[in-house]
Amino acid sequence: MATISIVFPSSDGASFNYEYAQGVHLPLVLDRWGESGLEKVELFRGVSSADGGAPPFLAVGLLRFTSLKHLQAAMTGEHAAEIGADIAKFTNVKPVLQVNAEMIE
């Protein structure tokens, strides 16, 4: 299993349309990558920092794929550009992406 974390840092002037992200973007991601090993999509709204201050991130997304191979194929496949371009429709923040592999002991 592999995931990609997508974080949207907070900053002055940053905007994020949570309704569009949840109602339009996530269904688009599920539709385009659903048959490519995407198992689960989660979106979290930043509420606060651990000490109760302002959140360091407006939102965090997690996409879970059946394997690292499937994740990499989706990120470079035919729908990657469409999904990436749609991000500008709900935020002016450049997201930070990190690919993660599940740790097994």
Side-chain angles (χ1 to χ4, degrees):
M1 181 175 314
T3 63
I4 185 162
S5 303
I6 306 156
V7 296
F8 298 86
S10 295
S11 65
D12 289 341
S15 64
F16 195 98
N17 183 327
Y18 298 96
E19 291 75 25
Y20 183 95
Q22 183 176 10
V24 179
H25 186 72
L26 294 185
L28 174 69
V29 171
L30 287 165
D31 180 63
R32 300 299 192 264
W33 287 343
E35 294 183 11
S36 299
L38 179 64
E39 292 184 326
K40 186 175 183 179
V41 176
E42 296 177 282
L43 179 64
F44 301 92
R45 180 190 304 247
V47 177
S48 72
S49 64
D51 65 4
F57 304 107
L58 296 172
V60 176
L62 297 173
L63 282 65
R64 184 177 310 224
F65 287 82
T66 55
S67 71
L68 184 56
K69 180 181 175 180
H70 284 107
L71 185 155
Q72 291 169 331
M75 295 300 294
T76 59
E78 67 175 305
H79 300 296
E82 176 187 14
I83 289 170
D86 193 59
I87 292 171
K89 295 179 181 176
F90 62 89
T91 186
N92 63 351
V93 175
K94 181 178 179 184
V96 177
L97 285 69
Q98 175 175 292
V99 174
N100 313 291
E102 185 174 24
M103 294 182 59
I104 300 174
E105 295 183 22

